[in-house]
Amino acid sequence: MTAGLSLGAAASANAATLTFTNADPTPQFSLTVDDSASPGKFRFSLSTLVGTADLLGLGFFFGGASLSQSDISLVSATRADNQSIMPTLELFGNNTGQQGRCGQGCNFNGSGSRSVFDYIIRLGDNGAGQDNFVKSIVFDIAATGPLATLFSDFGVRAQRVNGDASIKTDLEPNDLAPVPLPAGLPLLGSGLLAMGILRRRRAAKTSA
């Protein structure tokens, strides 16, 4: 099964976050990529919002740059009952081997999906066992460059657990969120403006 995704308008070139959501009502996935988690790292948060699906792989284009296994670090993951698990993430592509070698349930070969990405990260294995079921996962990728252009496209590979159909979903960004301002900044600006107005009034009275 392949789910389509519509591309939304970009709100700002100085984005801190890219968000993705597939169009099908179930299962529905959410992918967020954030460049503000820590310097030199991009944080990926992938989860199943609606329905039930076992996350198996994430493919993406990377603008010809190189990644290695050591650039990827797991932050957290949960299984179907929301308990924490520690799946092993494995990188395939470019300097780590052919993408298709990630095996059954991980590659994107076949109808309705891009057959080649720059990289594929294996998130889990086939099977619905408790500790082998990835409902949500958060991990970091060490890289340098602008978020809006560095990661150009994504695909999610998953497995239905209420049937034998696999899911190969090509994704495109549907939101580009600007870097949020500190909460007190608008208030500070208003205060400075008010002080400026008072000074002008006092200066006008003095010169009168």
Side-chain angles (χ1 to χ4, degrees):
M1 173 183 179
T2 302
L5 202 69
S6 60
L7 176 63
S12 170
N14 300 315
T17 303
L18 290 173
T19 60
F20 306 73
T21 304
N22 62 308
D24 282 11
T26 182
Q28 187 178 63
F29 304 105
S30 173
L31 172 65
T32 301
V33 187
D34 187 353
D35 66 0
S36 62
S38 59
K41 289 187 176 181
F42 295 87
R43 178 150 296 180
F44 290 71
S45 302
L46 178 63
S47 62
T48 308
L49 293 180
V50 180
T52 305
D54 184 8
L55 299 171
L56 301 176
L58 178 70
F60 55 93
F61 291 100
F62 194 54
S66 294
L67 289 175
S68 64
Q69 184 67 44
S70 61
D71 292 325
I72 305 172
S73 55
L74 177 69
V75 176
S76 63
T78 61
R79 61 191 192 186
D81 60 359
N82 295 321
Q83 295 298 308
S84 296
I85 54 174
M86 297 292 291
T88 300
L89 305 183
E90 190 172 2
L91 179 70
F92 295 87
N94 281 10
N95 62 337
T96 59
Q98 295 180 357
Q99 294 89 325
R101 293 180 182 174
C102 64
Q104 184 180 7
C106 177
N107 67 70
F108 286 79
N109 297 330
S111 175
S113 176
R114 298 180 180 91
S115 60
V116 177
F117 287 95
D118 286 344
Y119 290 97
I120 295 175
I121 299 177
R122 175 181 279 279
L123 307 175
D125 297 314
N126 281 329
Q130 282 282 39
D131 291 325
N132 193 40
F133 187 108
V134 181
K135 177 183 179 182
S136 67
I137 191 164
V138 180
F139 60 90
D140 290 341
I141 293 181
T144 56
L147 172 59
T149 58
L150 190 60
F151 298 98
S152 61
D153 215 341
F154 291 91
V156 174
R157 180 71 195 266
Q159 185 75 29
R160 291 182 179 275
V161 295
N162 57 351
D164 58 357
S166 64
I167 302 167
K168 300 174 184 178
T169 306
D170 292 337
L171 303 175
E172 295 179 359
N174 60 12
D175 184 30
L176 201 56
V179 178
L181 294 174
L185 193 57
L187 184 61
L188 176 62
S190 298
L192 292 174
L193 180 61
M195 288 176 62
I197 293 173
L198 284 174
R199 284 182 180 179
R200 287 186 178 183
R201 287 180 178 176
R202 287 176 181 174
K205 286 181 178 179
T206 302
S207 60

